[in-house]
């Protein structure tokens, strides 16, 4: 079955500092014309920093679109389309939390709202953390704190953490660590 849509033309509706709204004329898989409105975003990274004690370094941050303070993992947008996402992840981690990681594990990509937004958030696990002073952006106000990974997963499962990137990263890391424990257990039994 053919599912791919073909772009015929594209025009900018709005160009802001972070968001760029596009209107594309497309051809549907059945050959009929249609339009697609979507928000173009440069891309972002998000990092789940895990201490040796099994705690996740988190942030509380006011998010204007929801008029709420949300609990999130450190994250930020790429500085350019060419920026190495790994370097961006390490930069955002250090800027927001003061943490420096000796190990960075790629967890996959997260698409927050694929029907209207092309933002790709690359997710990482940071381990082997050392801490120094954070240095957030001038317009960034955060409260950094720690929570055991198991507690974070329980909060996600209880519906208390609405931020999608934090949910996905927490569940992926929790599952990954459980698999690592099982592998070690099986190796020890051999």
């Amino acid at each position: 079955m053919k599912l791919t849509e073909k772009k015929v033309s594209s025009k900018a509706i709005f160009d802001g500092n972070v968001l760029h709204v596009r209107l594309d004329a497309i051809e549907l898989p059945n050959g009929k014309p249609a339009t697609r409105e979507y928000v173009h975003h440069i891309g972002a990274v998000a990092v789940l920093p895990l201490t040796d004690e099994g705690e996740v370094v988190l942030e509380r941050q006011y998010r204007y679109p929801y008029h709420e303070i949300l609990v999130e993992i450190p994250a930020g947008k790429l500085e350019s389309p060419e920026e190495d996402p790994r370097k961006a992840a390490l930069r955002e981690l250090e800027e927001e939390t003061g943490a420096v990681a000796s190990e960075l594990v790629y967890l996959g990509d997260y698409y927050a709202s694929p029907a209207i937004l092309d933002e790709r958030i690359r997710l990482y696990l940071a381990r082997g953390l050392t801490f120094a002073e954070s240095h957030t952006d001038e317009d960034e106000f955060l409260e950094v704190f720690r929570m055991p990974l198991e507690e974070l997963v329980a909060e996600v499962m209880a519906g208390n953490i609405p931020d999608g990137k934090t949910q996905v990263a927490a569940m992926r890391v929790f599952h990954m660590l459980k698999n690592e424990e099982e592998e070690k257990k099986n190796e020890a039994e051999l």
Side-chain angles (χ1 to χ4, degrees):
M1 174 180 231
K2 186 177 175 187
L3 299 174
T4 305
E5 300 174 349
K6 179 182 170 188
K7 179 169 54 172
V8 176
S9 66
S10 182
K11 71 176 184 178
I13 297 174
F14 172 78
D15 273 323
N17 292 328
V18 177
L19 302 178
H20 310 279
V21 182
R22 310 287 310 171
L23 174 63
D24 289 3
I26 64 151
E27 182 181 297
L28 295 169
N30 64 4
K32 293 187 178 181
T35 59
R36 296 287 181 256
E37 294 176 3
Y38 66 98
V39 177
H40 173 66
H41 188 280
I42 195 169
V45 293
V47 185
L48 188 142
L50 188 65
T51 68
D52 293 342
E53 298 77 32
E55 293 180 317
V56 179
V57 181
L58 296 163
E59 307 170 349
R60 286 186 185 91
Q61 185 172 15
Y62 183 78
R63 291 302 192 177
Y64 185 82
Y66 298 101
H67 303 291
E68 291 180 34
I69 296 170
L70 298 181
V71 172
E72 304 176 42
I73 57 176
K77 70 180 184 67
L78 300 175
E79 290 182 348
S80 74
E82 296 80 28
E83 184 178 20
D84 178 355
R86 294 180 65 82
K87 289 181 181 175
L90 293 170
R91 180 192 72 241
E92 289 296 329
L93 176 63
E94 184 177 3
E95 283 180 6
E96 295 182 4
T97 69
V100 176
S102 66
E103 180 184 9
L104 195 64
V105 179
Y106 176 65
L107 298 171
D109 289 352
Y110 174 70
Y111 297 172
S113 188
I116 61 165
L117 176 64
D118 73 354
E119 179 184 36
R120 174 189 311 258
I121 302 175
R122 289 174 176 88
L123 302 173
Y124 295 92
L125 164 64
R127 293 195 272 204
L129 304 177
T130 56
F131 292 89
E133 192 80 20
S134 65
H135 43 97
T136 56
D137 294 336
E138 187 175 286
D139 62 348
E140 196 170 37
F141 300 92
L142 311 169
E143 177 189 344
V144 177
F145 69 102
R146 297 180 188 194
M147 180 185 292
L149 176 61
E150 292 77 15
E151 186 179 331
L152 176 59
V153 169
E155 289 292 305
V156 166
M157 296 307 293
N160 297 329
I161 308 285
D163 180 61
K165 68 186 177 304
T166 301
Q167 293 175 354
V168 170
M171 301 309 286
R172 287 183 185 174
V173 168
F174 184 75
H175 184 70
M176 184 181 83
L177 295 178
K178 288 293 179 198
N179 284 344
E180 286 178 4
E181 285 177 22
E182 282 296 316
E183 287 176 16
K184 287 178 184 175
K185 181 180 172 187
N186 289 340
E187 289 173 7
E189 291 175 356
L190 294 178

